[in-house]
């Protein structure tokens, strides 16, 4: 069971990290200042969500594993994210559409994860759910 929980938690972390990094590519390049600031803040929220999941995954793995190792010191093939978050941004409209699909996915996923029997996963999902809806 711990291997499945570790892999799933890593999957959640990887999704948020990669999407956050993709959105951060717009920092300083958004079409207008307000949109630039907004997408940069969403990117920061996603990276913060990923940190919570990476910390939990490191705790599950043990053996001196750290969140930094899981986030930045694995090979590309070891990441467990969905393909959507890897897609290039393209123009502003494509980026916003990609963000819409990802946010909708997270909204329903986190809503279900709040009811998880794993207390830590439930708590992270609840905190992250609040960031998705606001």
């Amino acid at each position: 069971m711990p291997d499945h929980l570790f892999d799933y938690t890593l999957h959640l972390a990887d999704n948020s990290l990669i999407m956050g990094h993709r959105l951060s590519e717009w920092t300083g390049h958004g079409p207008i200042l307000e949109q630039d600031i907004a997408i940069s803040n969403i990117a920061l929220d996603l990276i913060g969500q990923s940190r919570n999941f990476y910390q939990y995954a490191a705790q599950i793995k043990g053996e001196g594993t750290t969140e930094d190792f899981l986030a930045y010191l694995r090979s590309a093939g070891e990441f467990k994210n969905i393909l959507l978050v890897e897609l290039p941004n393209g123009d502003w409209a494509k980026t916003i559409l990609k963000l819409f699909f990802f946010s909708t996915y997270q909204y329903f996923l986190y809503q279900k994860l709040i009811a998880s029997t794993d207390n830590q996963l439930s708590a992270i999902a609840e905190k992250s759910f609040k960031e998705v809806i606001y």
Side-chain angles (χ1 to χ4, degrees):
M1 177 66 168
D3 285 342
H4 296 296
L5 181 59
F6 172 75
D7 288 342
Y8 187 66
T9 305
L10 205 54
H11 163 73
L12 297 171
D14 290 346
N15 285 339
S16 294
L17 179 71
I18 302 301
M19 188 64 170
H21 276 278
R22 278 291 188 201
L23 293 178
S24 73
E25 292 172 5
W26 277 103
T27 301
H29 302 286
I32 61 173
L33 182 61
E34 289 82 4
Q35 291 172 337
D36 188 294
I37 293 169
I39 204 150
S40 297
N41 283 329
I42 293 168
L44 287 172
D45 285 345
L46 288 168
I47 293 169
Q49 288 173 25
S50 73
R51 285 199 66 209
N52 291 328
F53 287 120
Y54 282 129
Q55 288 169 355
Y56 184 44
Q59 179 185 340
I60 294 166
K61 185 73 170 173
E63 304 168 8
T65 303
T66 65
E67 71 176 283
D68 287 338
F69 174 82
L70 294 174
Y72 299 112
L73 299 176
R74 293 180 293 146
S75 70
E78 293 176 294
F79 278 76
K80 301 176 182 306
N81 54 279
I82 57 176
L83 186 56
L84 175 70
V85 300
E86 287 183 31
L87 297 175
N89 287 327
D91 62 24
W92 182 257
K94 288 179 183 174
T95 299
I96 296 304
L97 183 61
K98 183 172 73 168
L99 179 57
F100 170 77
F101 286 135
F102 183 68
S103 297
T104 301
Y105 161 78
Q106 280 193 313
Y107 175 84
F108 290 108
L109 176 67
Y110 289 163
Q111 215 174 23
K112 293 294 184 184
L113 282 177
I114 290 170
S116 172
T117 57
D118 184 290
N119 292 335
Q120 185 68 23
L121 199 56
S122 174
I124 296 169
E126 185 172 6
K127 182 179 186 316
S128 299
F129 180 75
K130 290 176 183 173
E131 291 173 2
V132 170
I133 61 170
Y134 294 114

